[in-house]
Amino acid sequence: MAGYIWKPRAGKSACRMSFAVALLLATAALPLRAQEQITQVDLSGSWALQEDEGVMERVAGPIPDDFTGIPLNDAGRDLALDYNPGSYSEPERICLQETPWSLAIGPWAIRIWPQVDPATRQVAAWVIGGTESHPPVTIWMDGRPQPPMLAPHDRWGFTTGTWKGDMLIAYTTHLKAGILRRSGAFSSDQTTLTSTFIRHDDMLIAAYVLQDPVYLTEPYAYSNSYLRSDSPVGIDWDPCIVGYEGVDEGEVPFYLPGKNPLVDQMQKIYGIPEEASLGGAETMYPEFRDKLKAKFVMPSGKCTIYCTTGFAPPPPQRRAPGS
Amino acid sequence: MQQLTRAAAQRAVTVALSIVMLAGLGAISAHAAETGNADLDVLHVRNNVYVIAGDGENIAAQVGIDGVVLVNAGTAAGTDRLLAAVKKISPLPIRYIIDTNADADAVGGNANVAAAGITLFHAPIGPGASIVSYDTVLARMAATRGQPGGFPDSGWPTDAYLVNRTTLYINGEPIEIYHEPAAHTDGDSVVLFRSDDVVFAGGVMDKTAFPLIDLANGGSIQGEIDALNHLLTLADPPTPLIYEYVGTAVVPDHGRVCDQWEVVDYRDMVVKVRDTVAYMMRQHMTLRQIEAANPARAYPQYKAADMFIEAVYRDLSAKKPK
């Protein structure tokens, strides 16, 4: 009998084969649902935001204490009215940044790419890249379970997705409390967000429905449309360091009840009464306009802020002497 | 023949190991995410630190080669469930219990849980686990001696400290214990697991309720705010790479695991309600009128608002210049 000869190549081969068998077994053990996660529409690419009805929301920001169209409850309104923009200069708050909701209300183009599971070769997740001050959102498609109740909420939240026909429906939980609108409205950490992505050739529609049992009486909906862009959208997000912005450590800027000096801005600028500007579910619906008509008084003088496009008008040109 | 047999054996072993590894990985990740327990929830927070919840206050467990360090011992009635949960995390003995205050749901289980552990010291301290707390916790527990429902002597702290900060170095990690002199009570401790970057806030922060300011036992609203500000110095935000990391984990007295963000929100809420109560007092409003106006109305998700408002009112009234 020939003596035993150890052949390293044979060993490697055996190892490869056994790994393949193990992989096969592991794949077979995956839930049927996970194996069926087949990408139905390719969302990948760079998408440029088409700014239209939301331009006022997105650029310079809305008028302070404009909560029209937000279904705030009393608690949500109280929290919004005690908001002092100086609170964002608290040294402890400067780098807190924003939740994924900012993706909906922000002015950003987005870039989407798939994350492929090397074992199954399926799309394990869709990632919407973070830009500037909003975090990237990972939409898990692999059927993983929700984190437990005790688990921390992070600035990304936890998002799972499913395909319904050609619509990708993403559901986000474990969110942090954050800005609902930059005029001072906030959502709580019990908020959930349902996002629907629909692609029509070179157009992408994103519809968001935010639900917050703490501060809203009804779901709050928002939508964006994007056009496919050949210019790659950057996926860098800014690092943050804390600098002094005029508020000392431990100082908490806010307005006491009834002391918010900006509460009547909508009335002063547009003649819109507080019952509309302070929001509430009723203010979301077209019928509410009829209710207000009798009380509306057209403001005198020329419009100076957000008159048409959402941008403040340019400063008046100085006339040349003699012209 | 021998060659074939050896190769086949090699393959079989490798396949078996691969399967065991895959199964094991699944089991480990499931364990890491949440260890199932009929009664108590166990969450792996980070590295060596776990949180056990479901029986009153949150309990933290730090585990390693030296044994188990618990922060709080739960209620007396919950000992069996707590010990069962701890056993699922580590088979090694409980060495220390750190009491963050003298509340019954923090120290009620001291005697039973300590008895199930083994101290690192010899008699006369042993044989059970050592118990660390601020001095006034010991005093408060000892004051119940002989009273119905009083804490048994064997549950009293064995290692009461009287300084602002004390430390343990266990399981290869420095554990810093800070005294918060007048927050929920005068005996609160905040515990920092320095290597694991986890801080246990104890009675200073409750994710489900307004802080309970126990004026009769040395608590105060300003001390509570000071303690929250101190907590913010221990809980680091993940700057500058805010989208890469999450920063220090903060375990509150009750409720889910938090981080610096939630401590800021909580501190701001406490300050706003305190300042609003103070403002209403300057308007000569009575406690009843202030309660009716409800200065905590913007925070319905937090329980015990009435108790908090009353404590703030009484504390500020007592400190008001006559």
Side-chain angles (χ1 to χ4, degrees), chain A residues 18 25 75 78 82 90 92-93 95-97 133 148 150 152-153 155-156 176 189 215 237 239-240 259, chain B residues 14-15 18-19 34 207 239-240 242-243 256-257 259-262 264-265 267-268 272 279 297-298 301:
Chain A
S18 60
L25 286 169
D78 283 351
D82 83 21
E90 289 174 26
E92 306 91 344
R93 200 175 273 284
C95 285
L96 295 189
Q97 301 295 321
S133 61
L150 267 178
H153 291 201
R155 61 194 73 220
W156 304 270
K176 289 207 179 275
D189 65 353
Y215 291 129
W237 40 91
C240 184
K259 299 290 183 186
Chain B
T14 316
V15 168
S18 303
I19 292 169
E34 189 175 23
K207 190 68 187 81
T239 52
I242 54 173
Y243 297 134
R256 68 172 172 80
V257 176
D259 60 27
Q260 183 249 6
W261 187 320
E262 278 98 0
V264 177
D265 283 346
R267 190 274 314 266
D268 285 8
K272 286 178 187 179
Y279 167 75
R297 203 164 69 145
Q301 67 272 47

Side-chain angles (χ1 to χ4, degrees), chain B residues 90-102:
Chain B
S90 171
L92 296 177
I94 297 166
R95 301 298 194 176
Y96 271 100
I97 300 166
I98 303 169
D99 290 333
T100 59
N101 57 58

